[in-house]
Amino acid sequence: MAVKTLWQIAHSCGHQAERDLSDRAADRRAGFAEWLSKQECTDCWRASKEGDGQDKAAWLEAKRAEEQAESEAWSERYRMPPLEGRDRAVAWGVRCRHQVLADAYSALVLEGETSEAEWEEIEEAARTITRAGWWIDQRSSEPGDLIELLEAATGADRPTENPHF
């Protein structure tokens, strides 16, 4: 007599399902059927994962809102000018600027040999760059490279008093 290939599975969620286990070796079917009985059925498993995705999306949205509020408060505290660009780019740029400058301050002043007076000059140079895209582009840069990056910024990254320029 051959080992059966169709198994009736009573899942842990209470649903019943018939599974074809012919793709498994005969000596592994019973063990797999037992394992399946301890799992939720496919429909219940998918439903639980969809909820996780929504929970993760809500968590991520809350985390970004918190970071945004923190970055905007930091920008106001340190008199950083508003950034220019599309709304999404501006919001992201504000977060990137905050992170880039905070990382650079830690590396250069707190852990390095840059004085507070030298840092103020760096901060003043950073204030001249108002294009959100520039800050987004620098988000992965090394903190020690900030001075060189600020010097390399072009006129397109800085505002001009002449609106026709």
Side-chain angles (χ1 to χ4, degrees):
M1 181 169 170
V3 176
K4 67 180 181 177
T5 57
L6 292 176
W7 291 75
Q8 190 65 29
I9 309 293
H11 290 283
S12 63
C13 60
H15 293 116
Q16 300 275 335
E18 186 172 83
R19 292 285 305 259
D20 179 0
L21 302 182
S22 61
D23 60 335
R24 302 212 173 261
D27 62 339
R28 298 187 180 259
R29 292 178 193 156
F32 187 66
E34 183 180 345
W35 179 82
L36 283 173
S37 70
K38 295 176 184 173
Q39 311 305 314
E40 294 178 325
C41 71
T42 304
D43 292 337
C44 290
W45 180 82
R46 280 192 183 124
S48 72
K49 294 303 171 198
E50 288 172 4
D52 285 351
Q54 292 170 352
D55 292 345
K56 288 178 187 174
W59 175 85
L60 185 57
E61 187 177 329
K63 181 77 171 154
R64 282 196 180 138
E66 179 184 322
E67 289 174 355
Q68 192 67 37
E70 182 181 324
S71 295
E72 288 172 1
W74 175 89
S75 293
E76 192 172 310
R77 179 178 178 199
Y78 291 99
R79 302 176 330 276
M80 291 293 162
L83 296 180
E84 300 164 349
R86 295 179 186 221
D87 291 343
R88 285 181 56 177
V90 167
W92 190 15
V94 167
R95 290 192 313 268
C96 291
R97 176 175 62 184
H98 175 217
Q99 192 61 51
V100 166
L101 291 174
D103 289 350
Y105 182 82
S106 293
L108 299 174
V109 178
L110 300 178
E111 299 167 7
E113 297 178 15
T114 303
S115 70
E116 286 289 338
E118 292 170 320
W119 175 255
E120 286 179 24
E121 290 177 23
I122 295 168
E123 205 171 65
E124 219 28 69
R127 282 187 187 93
T128 66
I129 299 177
T130 58
R131 188 175 68 83
W134 190 90
W135 291 103
I136 293 168
D137 291 344
Q138 308 319 314
R139 71 186 182 277
S140 299
S141 63
E142 293 295 320
D145 295 340
L146 181 62
I147 296 168
E148 185 178 347
L149 293 169
L150 290 169
E151 290 171 356
T154 66
D157 301 316
R158 294 180 166 88
T160 178
E161 303 256 340
N162 182 352
H164 304 288
F165 182 67

